[in-house]
Amino acid sequence: MPAASLLPLFGSAAGPGTLGGPAGSGAGGGGRKAAGPGAFRLTEKFVLLLVFSAFITLCFGAIFFLPDSSKLLSGVFFHSAAGGAGSLERIRADHERALREAKETLQKLPEEIRRDIRQDKEKLLQDARGRKEAGAPGLPQRLFRQPVGAVGQEPADPDVRQRREKIKEMMKHAWDNYKRYAWGLNELKPISKQGHSSNLFGNIQGATIVDALDTLYIMEMKEEFKEAKEWVEKNLDFNVNAEISVFEVNIRFVGGLLSAYYLSGEEVFRKKAVELGEKLLPAFNTPTGIPWALLNIKSGIGRNWPWASGGSSILAEFGTLHLEFVHLSHLSGNPVFAEKVMNIRKVLSRLDKPEGLYPNYLNPSSGQWGQHHVSIGGLGDSFYEYLLKAWLMSDKTDEDGKKMYYDAVQAIETHLIRKSSGGLTYIAEWKGGLLEHKMGHLTCFAGGMFALGADGAPSDKTGHHIELGAKIARTCHESYDRTRMKLGPEAFRFDGGVEAIATRQNEKYYILRPEVIETYMYMWRLTHDPKYREWGWEAVEALEKHCRVDGGYSGIRDVYNNHESHDDVQQSFFLSETLKYLYLLFSEDDLLPFEHWVFNTEAHPLPVLHKDDGNKEENQK
Ligand code: DMJ
């Protein structure tokens, strides 16, 4: 009963004047006005009793059921009861813990305190997101449509077909031995026939399996693909206490899983890719949002390589997340991934660039460049690659990526690209304005990149970019041809009277790297000049002769030596990149065509997000 309707009755009961006014002046109140308490009739007494007991019930109800009323009661009524000692203990313990935490906080640097606060906030947000999703666990439903070119025709030419078969056989040899001796571990040691673990992946396991998935798929090695998928389903575990390289885990694991999903449509790969992407997010908890190089995926604590100039993050590392993170947003419906990499873009575009060049080191706290070292090889390389490919993957809508790429190429041409007296074009390294006339094996990928970018260059420059690609391909081929084993060294120089030759002992090794073959593949696709297939085949013969061993494929310590000294590592990128690019070099152009796919820097194909497929949003984030 509403309390207001009780009042007139109480007014009457208490006698005139106590609750006077309208209460006593109602139409039905005339007979009671002159009557004393003793004059109540039995029914009236009964009604009054009922009303009174209802009121008492209501008051107690309020005390017990209003929020926090139980605490109030226990404080007021039960304070000195038996539980009191326990709660005092608890209060004391809480107090001591708070004091301890305050002391620890005071010992921290202001920067660490700020970072902790940010991490706590991020965690709260993530928990909130998690709770929101708990109503509908998992990823949004997605209709899988296999992109064009996931499978291709057999090569028409029987010789080409035979060569391609040979490359597939090489893949089988590498895979079978990994399976036999190192199954489930990261890589294979083909001489000692056991597993090899690199600290790049912490204790995440199975790098070779995840890196090889898409190569197995395009080579139609169906049984092997199936067993790899089963391993991923049952064993690939990211809930580990591991400090990992954000870059390596992204390009190999996230990239490998994304490609495997887009080729096969198997949901497990989408789920695992997004799960891993989420684990990488705390790496972005820095004052600028430029991610740490290393991250403990359990604690979410990040740091940079101790050797990096002034605590900097590395250009090629934080600049090589874009393609994968845009796809993670596309597949998860969660914009956070794309936002993180677009912020990297913003930070970079606001910075002054010395001579238009991007130094390899950037401090994630101050947002300032470290040493002014510039390289299109190690520490810089795939940053440039991802600017171009971000534009291509966006179906050519990412205008900022495009502009940054072509401006960078212009600066590279002006300041780094030189011609040797013997006529070889090379890309030097830049150290605070001085050139080091050295080119890394890694830099050789740039031939393919220049050719791939020719199409978007201003119309008078298209041919020039293709030519530049061709010249770099020739130089890199020379670096192979001028060794005894016909495999390229880690770095070669153009000074001290040599051209395209390694002069330092610690630059003479070959670790099954793909970059030169990668450039042959792009040049072949874009020009159909048969010399690129010939050069690719020379590399196959050299790999078979010097790197193939009973237990798989191994790197070589000195490619200028008469005898092989093996380094005893079968790198996972040999299966994901070197063999895949060779296979594509001897395939028809309809397998993974460039209009529909871009390759991440580990050769994992990712589909172009076509505007007309409703992908406009991701492209413009
Ligand atoms: C690969 O992991 C990637 O290509 C990366 O961008 C650079 N180096 C290795 C292979 O050489």
Side-chain angles (χ1 to χ4, degrees):
M1 185 190 290
S5 53
L6 290 172
L7 292 175
L9 282 167
F10 272 89
S12 308
T18 315
L19 287 169
S25 59
R32 294 196 299 269
K33 223 176 185 175
F40 284 124
R41 272 177 291 166
L42 197 62
T43 44
E44 283 176 329
K45 278 184 190 161
F46 182 63
V47 168
L48 271 174
L49 196 70
L50 255 183
V51 167
F52 186 67
S53 60
F55 179 66
I56 297 292
T57 311
L58 193 82
C59 291
F60 271 88
I63 289 172
F64 281 104
F65 297 114
L66 284 177
D68 271 346
S69 58
S70 55
K71 273 192 210 150
L72 188 84
L73 277 182
S74 62
V76 173
F77 295 131
F78 309 126
H79 190 66
S80 54
S87 57
L88 268 179
E89 285 281 282
R90 231 187 4 260
I91 291 168
R92 193 174 304 123
D94 285 349
H95 214 76
E96 280 166 4
R97 188 167 41 83
L99 273 174
R100 231 184 6 257
E101 283 174 0
K103 257 195 214 158
E104 282 167 12
T105 307
L106 282 174
Q107 281 164 3
K108 288 185 179 174
L109 296 171
E111 188 37 55
E112 287 176 308
I113 298 174
R114 276 197 289 274
R115 191 194 59 204
D116 289 352
I117 294 172
R118 262 195 315 279
Q119 279 175 357
D120 285 351
K121 272 193 194 160
E122 183 88 20
K123 189 157 183 328
L124 279 175
L125 278 174
Q126 269 172 18
D127 288 352
R129 258 183 236 130
R131 277 195 302 278
K132 207 170 148 198
E133 281 165 13
L139 296 170
Q141 292 273 338
R142 184 172 190 276
L143 188 68
F144 175 72
R145 259 188 299 151
Q146 196 179 46
V148 179
V151 282
Q153 310 269 316
E154 279 275 288
D157 178 334
D159 292 341
V160 174
R161 213 161 46 230
Q162 210 183 349
R163 288 185 166 186
R164 196 171 85 141
E165 263 314 296
K166 171 65 196 166
I167 294 153
K168 184 168 169 178
E169 185 277 328
M170 292 167 76
M171 178 71 181
K172 187 140 177 58
H173 182 67
W175 177 260
D176 285 350
N177 279 293
Y178 165 76
K179 193 175 144 191
R180 188 167 308 129
Y181 301 117
W183 184 243
L185 302 172
N186 279 326
E187 287 171 323
L188 163 70
K189 279 164 137 331
I191 306 285
S192 42
K193 300 185 175 166
Q194 58 183 5
H196 168 73
S197 52
S198 140
N199 55 4
L200 299 173
F201 317 117
N203 46 10
I204 297 182
Q205 295 296 335
T208 294
I209 298 179
V210 179
D211 237 2
L213 278 163
D214 51 13
T215 310
L216 295 172
Y217 189 93
I218 64 162
M219 290 185 181
E220 297 179 54
M221 294 171 67
K222 295 194 175 137
E223 261 312 298
E224 289 84 352
F225 181 82
K226 189 166 159 263
E227 63 200 3
K229 185 196 120 192
E230 278 165 13
W231 185 89
V232 168
E233 258 162 0
K234 293 193 190 119
N235 303 293
L236 185 59
D237 184 10
F238 304 128
N239 294 312
V240 288
N241 186 0
E243 187 180 61
I244 50 103
S245 153
V246 175
F247 161 77
E248 294 290 352
V249 165
N250 176 59
I251 65 169
R252 301 193 201 205
F253 283 87
V254 178
L257 291 164
L258 287 172
S259 291
Y261 170 70
Y262 281 116
L263 290 168
S264 70
E266 296 285 355
E267 271 296 314
V268 61
F269 300 128
R270 178 167 75 120
K271 197 176 127 255
K272 291 276 179 191
V274 176
E275 183 192 336
L276 181 54
E278 281 168 356
K279 295 258 173 205
L280 298 183
L281 286 175
F284 294 83
N285 293 335
T286 65
T288 54
I290 295 291
W292 300 112
L294 300 166
L295 176 74
N296 182 307
I297 55 170
K298 182 157 189 243
S299 67
I301 292 175
R303 66 183 175 110
N304 275 336
W305 297 106
W307 48 261
S309 158
S312 291
S313 303
I314 306 292
L315 183 69
E317 298 199 326
F318 65 77
T320 309
L321 303 167
H322 198 103
L323 305 182
E324 296 81 0
F325 274 53
V326 166
H327 268 290
L328 286 175
S329 279
H330 180 65
L331 290 185
S332 66
N334 184 350
V336 68
F337 303 103
E339 285 163 9
K340 297 285 181 199
V341 289
M342 287 320 282
N343 175 60
I344 297 178
R345 277 273 188 83
K346 263 187 223 139
V347 173
L348 287 174
S349 56
R350 279 199 292 260
L351 278 169
D352 278 343
K353 285 118 207 140
E355 310 287 356
L357 297 165
Y358 290 83
N360 293 336
Y361 302 104
L362 180 64
N363 188 303
S365 302
S366 66
Q368 299 299 314
W369 299 117
Q371 279 173 323
H372 282 195
H373 286 184
V374 178
S375 166
I376 313 307
L379 309 185
D381 49 8
S382 40
F383 160 69
Y384 305 95
E385 176 186 354
Y386 271 37
L387 291 177
L388 171 65
K389 290 181 177 175
W391 173 61
L392 294 172
M393 196 179 85
S394 71
D395 206 5
K396 303 189 176 172
T397 60
D398 179 357
E399 290 296 327
D400 293 337
K402 178 183 183 188
K403 179 165 175 10
M404 285 168 81
Y405 171 73
Y406 289 103
D407 287 353
V409 172
Q410 183 63 54
I412 291 166
E413 278 215 72
T414 312
H415 299 286
L416 307 184
I417 297 190
R418 295 289 178 268
K419 197 178 211 162
S420 71
S421 48
L424 294 179
T425 298
Y426 62 95
I427 312 177
E429 312 233 320
W430 194 82
K431 298 200 164 157
L434 295 177
L435 283 189
E436 189 179 10
H437 298 271
K438 157 188 146 178
M439 190 165 163
H441 192 289
L442 291 167
T443 321
C444 287
F445 90 97
M449 176 180 76
F450 292 141
L452 181 67
D455 201 24
S459 52
D460 58 321
K461 290 258 173 100
T462 305
H464 173 71
H465 281 229
I466 290 269
E467 257 171 50
L468 196 54
K471 286 177 183 165
I472 299 298
R474 171 169 297 285
T475 301
C476 292
H477 175 252
E478 285 302 313
S479 79
Y480 273 49
D481 207 41
R482 295 177 188 197
T483 70
R484 221 178 280 274
M485 294 190 186
K486 306 290 174 201
L487 291 167
E490 181 65 4
F492 42 95
R493 296 186 176 256
F494 297 84
D495 54 16
V498 302
E499 296 199 354
I501 289 179
T503 52
R504 303 185 183 184
Q505 194 52 41
N506 64 358
E507 292 174 345
K508 294 183 176 172
Y509 62 88
Y510 171 68
I511 55 167
L512 305 173
R513 286 199 191 278
E515 292 76 16
V516 176
I517 292 164
E518 174 182 352
T519 278
Y520 296 161
M521 190 281 288
Y522 280 103
M523 293 311 302
W524 162 255
R525 279 268 176 109
L526 296 163
T527 66
H528 286 158
D529 181 334
K531 73 169 174 262
Y532 297 113
R533 277 187 166 167
E534 285 316 308
W535 290 353
W537 192 249
E538 286 170 13
V540 167
E541 288 176 328
L543 284 165
E544 286 300 271
K545 190 160 172 206
H546 302 292
C547 300
R548 187 175 180 132
V549 291
D550 270 1
Y553 288 86
S554 166
I556 300 280
R557 291 214 171 85
D558 182 350
V559 288
Y560 298 91
N561 214 318
N562 282 328
H563 303 288
E564 297 94 15
S565 167
H566 291 118
D567 69 4
D568 198 14
V569 183
Q570 178 175 285
Q571 305 279 347
S572 76
F573 54 66
F574 181 65
L575 292 88
S576 74
E577 294 194 71
T578 313
L579 292 175
K580 187 188 286 128
Y581 285 135
L582 279 170
Y583 189 78
L584 291 172
L585 179 62
F586 292 97
S587 294
E588 300 291 320
D589 297 353
D590 65 344
L591 180 57
L592 302 175
F594 293 169
E595 312 87 86
H596 295 284
W597 298 87
V598 293
F599 294 89
N600 90 338
T601 196
E602 188 78 0
H604 295 305
L606 299 170
V608 170
L609 294 168
H610 288 293
K611 299 186 275 265
D612 45 8
D613 285 350
N615 295 318
K616 220 170 163 195
E617 255 173 54
E618 277 80 12
N619 294 339
Q620 288 172 352
K621 262 180 202 120

